[in-house]
Amino acid sequence: MRLFRRHPPRSTKRRLLSWLVVAALTSLALAALTASPLTTRLDNILYDRLQRASARPVDPSILIVGVDERSLRELGAWPWSRARHAAMIDRLTQAGAKAIVYDVLFSQPAPDPADDAALASAVTRSGKVYLPQFLESDGQDGAPPTLVGPLPELAQGAAGLGLAHVRFDADGVVRRMAPFEADGPDLAPDLMTVVHRATKAFDAPDATRGSATTLLIPFAGPPDRYRQIAFSSVLAGEIPPDLIAGRTVFVGLTAPGLGPAFPTPVTPDAASMTGVQLQASVLDGLRGGKMVKPAGLVSRLTFALSLLWLLLAGLLVLPPRANLLLLASLLAVALGVSAALFGVAHLWLSPVAAILGLAVVSLLWGWGQLGRVNDLLGHQLDRLRSAGPASARDEAGFESDVVARQAFSLGAAITRIDDLRRFSADALFSLPDATLVADAERRVIAANAAARTLLCRAPQATGGGTLAGALNALEPLGRTFPPTWPTEADSGRAIDLHLADGRAYQLQTVFRRDEAGPKDGGDAGWILRLADITPLTAAMRQREQALQLLTHDMRSPQTSILALLATTPDLPAEISERLAACARRTLALADGFVQLARAEVTQTTMEPLDVCDVAVEAVDELWPQCRQRRIEIRQEGCDAPMMVLGDRGVLARALVNLIGNAVKYSPDGAGITVRAAAVLDGGRTFIDLAVADQGPGLTSEEAALAFRPFQRFDRPGAAAADGAGLGLAFVQAAAARHGGAVTCTSTPGQGATFTLRLPEAVG
């Protein structure tokens, strides 16, 4: 008996009708998408990539004279006197400049009328100077902008005037220019339109005379590709006339922050192309005939719909695999044609709308095939649920359609996943750690071999007993588990169990739910793991014993030395003091080493506590030293409790070390601030306890090394020279054990701030 029902093939008429519906709907949608601005952002991204990939040589006849940082250093702060600008125009004119584009607006009279007269005279003598105009809005809604130009005496002698107007796209990037801008009922030419028409050859192409209202700027590359010389170098006569002769010279602001800078497709950041560099790029594109014209709506519709109908025709007559190849080919054609028109014909015809249309129609057409696959998958899932004997191999010849065969393959994969699930369960129970599985009532329903071996003296515990009973059968020292153990709060919490025979185990439980979830009674039960940590416990015990022995052996001789020095008055005072200092240093080193080792490995006893109270205890402990040196410690931010989950003794020692360091390094009579604050970091709330001193501070390199063991930074006159270099290492170990961190921020000569960050106690 077959598990699946064969679906009769659809008629040709129905298939054609479906094709016509898909074709009509997608054509209308694609036309609307092409005419709308919805793809503008994607269009701009693709255009910018093409622009950056099409770098070309710049026009060698363009030269920029920049008001750069060197000029500002040599000539003084901007703005400069107009007599200096007049001298520049005379220099460029005498050197034989073909045209001088002076990108500075002289719209207001100078304090000294003689300066304006000198500049006007220089402009008139040159006869090659082109000056900018600007459209200025008065801020009233609907009011036309006002045309602002240079002083009348300057405009009268200029070779030409034009708008220096920058057009921004919706994303704030400059990609285009307008040969003419509306000035009330008239059209005002762009400055580069004026310069280009005045300086081009008679038969040279002129993109400003076309029908396009805007032109895309063909940036030749980053702005530094145009040759640039310093304003001060020209005035000083350092530039040979041959470098200027016959060139179109742009004079403008290029120093960072001195004038406006604009984001463009070829600049890596939002402020790297100055206005004079932007104008040079526009003139370069106009002269080279490389200005890019945006394609019109008719061209864009024809391009997008042509590709779409080619794909639709393929869907009607080609098999699925061939249609996949056709789709990839059409996508490549869309990108290739757009790139070719951009690079060769200087026409921007975005393929984004066409690509989206091809993708949408492929999805719509594929939904029909997915409907058949859905029916087949339904039968396969029924077979999987009922665990019937039929296999995918028995039905392999049922359907010759590629998509249907993929559905059968998926059914076989589901079968393999089911086998893999059983394999995973077998692997779980073959783990070396003792593992028990219990139901929602905490009754043991399965145990692996390691668990049965461990509980061999209580076999009933692994065959229907409770988890608590199984653990109590081990007779752990100092602990008895109640029948209601574990609870959901115990899930994931590690518990150490020690047995009478010296063995030690780490117990961990996981609360799990079945696929139905809690709404449908989905509590599935528990998984319990007992990991043998006997060797680790023995090693830790031996380590502690060795540490105690080492500490005793180090302390006893030093204590004896101090006692002997105290009872031996015959030694010179200097030698006696040096020996005593060395002995005390060794004692401090031993104590610090023990504290650090225990902070790193000793099990901490966590409890909710107010970190402000712990700070008060640390301040009280250091009060004698502070009083002796007249140091005042202020506490801030402790108006309300700052609760953390921690070990009171460890945190108290850590704060004593931090505040003690501040006291050691602070000068007599200084102030120390202990500030508590709650901060949000990564979605979690932390308590920051910052200790700020007025000591000599640390360099950035010293701050990075401050928490290394035995790291000390001696300062002239600082009491910290007696330390062993383990205090901050202890603080870092304590912070790590509490799930926090400690940081240092400092500036030499301005003190240091050490911040201990601890997770806030929840609940």
Side-chain angles (χ1 to χ4, degrees):
M1 179 179 179
R2 289 184 178 272
L3 295 177
F4 306 105
R5 176 172 57 88
R6 180 184 293 272
H7 295 275
R10 294 179 297 175
S11 64
T12 303
K13 182 177 180 180
R14 184 178 178 184
R15 179 182 175 87
L16 181 59
L17 180 61
S18 300
W19 182 87
L20 289 174
V21 171
V22 172
L25 292 177
T26 54
S27 297
L28 290 175
L30 181 57
L33 182 65
T34 304
S36 73
L38 295 178
T39 63
T40 300
R41 184 173 181 84
L42 295 176
D43 294 339
N44 289 339
I45 292 175
L46 181 58
Y47 175 82
D48 293 349
R49 290 186 178 275
L50 286 174
Q51 186 68 262
R52 289 192 290 269
S54 57
R56 56 178 176 80
V58 299
D59 185 353
S61 66
I62 292 178
L63 178 66
I64 296 177
V65 175
V67 180
D68 54 8
E69 294 178 324
R70 173 188 170 182
S71 301
L72 294 175
R73 289 195 304 269
E74 295 179 356
L75 301 180
W78 183 266
W80 297 330
S81 69
R82 295 186 178 175
R84 182 168 292 167
H85 293 292
M88 171 58 68
I89 293 174
D90 288 338
R91 286 274 189 182
L92 296 176
T93 303
Q94 293 167 6
K98 180 179 180 180
I100 304 172
V101 182
Y102 221 92
D103 189 29
V104 179
L105 182 62
F106 302 104
S107 60
Q108 298 295 327
D112 186 356
D115 286 351
D116 287 336
L119 180 58
S121 177
V123 171
T124 303
R125 283 195 306 271
S126 173
K128 304 175 182 179
V129 179
Y130 297 85
L131 298 176
Q133 299 170 314
F134 292 90
L135 289 175
E136 185 178 76
S137 175
D138 57 6
Q140 298 180 1
D141 294 338
T146 304
L147 183 65
V148 179
L151 296 173
E153 56 267 32
L154 299 179
Q156 184 177 2
L161 304 175
L163 285 174
H165 184 68
V166 178
R167 280 180 170 256
F168 294 92
D169 285 348
D171 58 356
V173 178
V174 178
R175 296 183 181 88
R176 62 192 73 231
M177 61 85 65
F180 295 89
E181 294 283 352
D183 179 21
D186 302 322
L187 291 177
D190 185 83
L191 180 59
M192 292 302 99
T193 300
V194 174
V195 175
H196 174 60
R197 291 185 176 183
T199 58
K200 74 180 184 68
F202 176 76
D203 56 347
D206 187 4
T208 64
R209 298 186 183 276
S211 59
T213 57
T214 61
L215 299 172
L216 292 164
I217 304 170
F219 294 98
D224 56 5
R225 297 194 62 187
Y226 292 97
R227 185 156 191 177
Q228 179 175 321
I229 56 178
F231 191 103
S232 59
S233 298
V234 177
L235 284 185
E238 300 173 356
I239 306 302
D242 293 344
L243 184 61
I244 301 175
R247 296 177 183 266
T248 300
V249 181
F250 288 82
V251 182
L253 307 175
T254 60
L258 189 60
F262 309 99
T264 68
V266 296
T267 48
D269 51 66
S272 57
M273 181 169 284
T274 62
V276 67
Q277 293 166 339
L278 183 62
Q279 288 183 349
S281 299
V282 174
L283 183 61
D284 189 1
L286 289 172
R287 283 184 175 176
K290 298 184 182 299
M291 297 298 286
V292 181
K293 298 180 180 180
L297 178 60
V298 175
S299 300
R300 289 185 281 129
L301 285 174
T302 302
F303 177 62
L305 292 176
S306 298
L307 295 175
L308 176 65
W309 280 82
L310 284 174
L311 178 62
L312 289 170
L315 293 175
L316 185 62
V317 300
L318 297 176
R321 186 169 298 175
N323 280 323
L324 179 61
L325 180 60
L326 175 62
L327 174 63
S329 301
L330 291 177
L331 294 177
V333 167
L335 291 172
V337 169
S338 179
L341 291 176
F342 176 83
V344 177
H346 309 300
L347 177 69
W348 173 233
L349 180 61
S350 174
V352 172
I355 290 174
L356 292 177
L358 296 177
V360 169
V361 74
S362 298
L363 290 175
L364 290 175
W365 188 257
W367 284 343
Q369 298 295 331
L370 290 177
R372 302 183 67 191
V373 172
N374 183 63
D375 294 338
L376 295 172
L377 288 179
H379 289 292
Q380 288 282 20
L381 292 175
D382 290 340
R383 180 182 64 82
L384 183 61
R385 294 189 186 100
S386 60
S391 64
R393 179 180 301 176
D394 297 333
E395 301 295 332
F398 169 71
E399 180 66 55
S400 61
D401 185 78
V402 174
V403 179
R405 290 201 299 270
Q406 291 176 344
F408 281 112
S409 300
L410 183 57
I414 293 174
T415 303
R416 292 194 296 270
I417 291 174
D418 189 41
D419 295 337
L420 181 60
R421 183 181 301 172
R422 289 193 296 270
F423 173 78
S424 299
D426 294 340
L428 172 66
F429 291 107
S430 64
L431 293 174
D433 293 335
T435 304
L436 300 174
V437 178
D439 58 16
E441 302 299 325
R442 302 173 180 82
R443 290 189 300 268
V444 178
I445 57 178
N448 68 350
R452 289 192 293 270
T453 301
L454 178 62
L455 301 169
C456 60
R457 288 184 291 180
Q460 71 281 1
T462 60
T466 63
L467 289 176
L471 295 177
N472 290 333
L474 294 175
E475 299 179 355
L477 298 176
R479 189 175 187 106
T480 301
F481 294 90
T484 57
W485 185 91
T487 63
E488 190 168 351
D490 295 316
S491 180
R493 187 164 61 93
I495 301 174
D496 289 346
L497 300 180
H498 296 272
L499 307 185
D501 58 5
R503 290 179 296 169
Y505 292 88
Q506 186 180 73
L507 165 66
Q508 196 166 17
T509 59
V510 176
F511 182 69
R512 61 188 182 93
R513 301 182 187 276
D514 62 14
E515 295 178 355
K519 293 183 179 179
D520 300 318
D523 290 350
W526 303 83
I527 297 177
L528 181 146
R529 179 184 67 91
L530 283 164
D532 189 354
I533 59 170
T534 303
L536 178 61
T537 303
M540 294 294 294
R541 184 164 52 250
Q542 292 173 2
R543 182 181 188 275
E544 184 67 21
Q545 292 172 353
L547 189 61
Q548 292 176 357
L549 179 62
L550 178 62
T551 304
H552 180 269
D553 289 346
M554 290 177 64
R555 292 180 58 88
S556 295
Q558 310 309 316
T559 305
S560 300
I561 291 174
L562 291 174
L564 183 61
L565 291 175
T567 59
T568 307
D570 297 336
L571 286 176
E574 181 179 357
I575 295 177
S576 178
E577 180 59 31
R578 286 189 179 184
L579 290 175
C582 291
R584 286 192 295 269
R585 183 177 179 83
T586 304
L587 286 173
L589 181 62
D591 291 340
F593 183 75
V594 172
Q595 291 175 3
L596 176 60
R598 288 178 174 170
E600 292 176 338
V601 301
T602 303
Q603 184 70 30
T604 54
T605 303
M606 296 295 188
E607 61 177 336
L609 52 88
D610 186 357
V611 74
C612 292
D613 289 344
V614 181
V616 170
E617 295 176 6
V619 172
D620 290 343
E621 183 174 338
L622 295 167
W623 181 79
Q625 296 94 311
C626 295
R627 181 181 182 185
Q628 181 181 5
R629 299 181 54 201
R630 305 186 312 283
I631 293 177
E632 179 186 0
I633 300 180
R634 297 183 299 274
Q635 285 191 256
E636 300 178 358
C638 288
D639 300 332
M642 296 288 184
M643 303 302 296
V644 300
L645 195 65
D647 187 301
R648 192 176 196 91
V650 174
L651 291 182
R653 173 52 52 190
L655 291 178
V656 166
N657 289 352
L658 283 180
I659 301 174
N661 265 8
V663 172
K664 289 178 183 180
Y665 281 101
S666 295
D668 292 350
I672 296 173
T673 303
V674 180
R675 183 181 300 107
V679 297
L680 188 64
D681 185 6
R684 295 183 60 191
T685 303
F686 292 86
I687 302 299
D688 278 4
L689 199 65
V691 179
D693 61 46
Q694 298 176 354
L698 300 171
T699 65
S700 58
E701 293 79 7
E702 291 174 336
L705 301 174
F707 300 99
R708 289 187 176 183
F710 309 107
Q711 186 68 54
R712 297 166 57 245
F713 304 107
D714 296 338
R715 295 291 189 269
D722 295 335
L726 292 174
L728 293 180
F730 176 88
V731 176
Q732 186 179 51
R737 293 301 297 273
H738 286 77
V742 61
T743 57
C744 172
T745 57
S746 177
T747 301
Q750 299 182 17
T753 300
F754 289 84
T755 303
L756 177 63
R757 172 167 293 184
L758 300 171
E760 184 184 43
V762 179

